């Protein structure tokens, strides 16, 4: 069966998306679940570990909540860098937070 020009599914029926698989002259139709952009957005759950778990582990020893938050932002933007349409924007955001963290660390030193 030919795949359509659609990216993530074979066809739409209203708001529902379906995947079609043909095997041994049997056609299977599977409804494609909608992405959960609140609890599990794809750009945070890609890979073996969710970004939030990496961030929580990384910031647990931060000297202050503010410094932990800045570190978390750097990790967040870098972890999803290649999943974005314009990765340079997330790289610049990560650099902005990193520069702010460095300034804070230098002030506290």
């Amino acid at each position: 069966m030919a795949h359509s020009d659609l990216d993530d599914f074979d066809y739409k029926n209203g708001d529902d998306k379906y995947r079609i698989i043909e095997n041994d002259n049997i056609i299977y139709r599977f409804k494609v679940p909608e992405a959960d952009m609140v609890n599990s957005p794809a750009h945070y759950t890609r890979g073996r570990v969710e970004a939030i778990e990496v961030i929580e582990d990384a910031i647990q020893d931060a000297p202050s909540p503010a410094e932990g938050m800045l570190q978390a932002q750097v990790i967040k933007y870098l972890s999803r860098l290649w999943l974005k349409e314009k990765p340079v924007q997330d790289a610049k955001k990560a650099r902005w937070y990193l520069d702010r963290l460095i300034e804070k660390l230098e002030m506290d030193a």
Side-chain angles (χ1 to χ4, degrees):
M1 174 164 280
H3 189 276
S4 71
D5 292 334
L6 301 174
D7 291 335
D8 298 332
F9 49 87
D10 291 319
Y11 77 94
K12 283 182 79 169
N13 184 3
D15 290 334
D16 294 330
K17 300 173 186 176
Y18 295 92
R19 166 83 53 212
I20 302 296
I21 299 173
E22 185 175 351
N23 189 4
D24 295 329
N25 294 325
I26 300 173
I27 297 174
Y28 300 92
R29 181 181 84 161
F30 299 94
K31 185 174 180 185
V32 177
E34 290 191 32
D36 184 346
M37 294 305 291
V38 173
N39 296 305
S40 295
H43 57 274
Y44 288 140
T45 58
R46 181 119 180 203
R48 295 182 303 267
V49 182
E50 283 201 38
I52 188 66
E53 294 169 348
V54 172
I55 291 168
E56 288 171 344
D57 287 346
I59 68 170
Q60 65 184 341
D61 298 317
S64 74
E67 290 163 329
M69 182 276 300
L70 292 169
Q71 179 188 8
Q73 292 295 84
V74 172
I75 295 168
K76 177 182 78 170
Y77 282 109
L78 290 178
S79 69
R80 66 184 185 181
L81 184 72
W82 306 119
L83 303 175
K84 297 300 198 89
E85 188 174 316
K86 297 179 181 177
V88 72
Q89 289 178 340
D90 275 16
K92 287 179 178 180
K93 289 178 186 177
R95 181 175 60 193
W96 187 89
Y97 282 106
L98 181 58
D99 288 342
R100 193 165 172 107
L101 175 59
I102 291 168
E103 289 173 14
K104 185 150 188 56
L105 291 170
E106 288 174 342
M107 286 178 15
D108 294 344

